Amino acid sequence: QVQLVESGGGLVQAGGSLRLSCAASGRTFSHYDMGWFRQAPGKERDLVARIRWSSGYTYYTDSVKGRFTISRDNAKNTLYLQMNSLKPEDTAVYYCAASPVGLSVQVPYWGQGTQVTVSS
């Protein structure tokens, strides 16, 4: 049974930083795509960043490029999202996700979500 458990959300002022963590368990993720989505109130859940666990290849949506960094720790089976220069528009529930076929194809595994609130 795959489990994804997020932590690290909270309230921060604009310009501040947060680091989200996602502890993954239940199988080997070496051939998985893993990433972070976010969903603001009244909006769709959108991909923020993703990483290919085996190669380390990364992708970022345009609005977070240069501010967010996705990374993984193979030994700890943990995914991270370092968020710097946060803006009020980054406020959302952030979800960790994992897929063996690509996050753009299908997302069978989700974390429970962690709230990030950025005040102006």
Side-chain angles (χ1 to χ4, degrees), residues 37-97:
F37 287 71
R38 66 185 179 187
Q39 188 168 21
K43 295 189 176 181
E44 294 186 351
R45 190 174 298 188
D46 293 324
L47 178 66
V48 174
R50 65 178 174 89
I51 187 168
R52 188 71 184 172
W53 197 270
S54 56
S55 66
Y57 169 82
T58 59
Y59 162 86
Y60 299 92
T61 193
D62 285 346
S63 61
V64 308
K65 284 179 182 176
R67 300 189 298 122
F68 290 11
T69 302
I70 190 170
S71 62
R72 85 274 194 236
D73 185 323
N74 290 340
K76 295 182 179 179
N77 249 16
T78 300
L79 182 72
Y80 301 101
L81 185 68
Q82 178 66 43
M83 305 185 294
N84 299 328
S85 302
L86 282 161
K87 304 175 181 180
E89 51 264 43
D90 294 317
T91 295
V93 178
Y94 284 70
Y95 296 91
C96 178

Side-chain angles (χ1 to χ4, degrees), residues 6 20 23-24 26 33-35 39 43 48 51 72 81 95 97 103-104 106 110 113:
E6 300 108 332
L20 306 182
D33 254 6
M34 297 191 72
Q39 188 168 21
K43 295 189 176 181
V48 174
I51 187 168
R72 85 274 194 236
L81 185 68
Y95 296 91
L103 294 176
S104 59
Q106 183 188 32
W110 293 97

Side-chain angles (χ1 to χ4, degrees), residues 102-119:
L103 294 176
S104 59
V105 177
Q106 183 188 32
V107 184
Y109 306 114
W110 293 97
Q112 81 283 1
T114 186
Q115 177 71 46
V116 171
T117 303
V118 184
S119 63

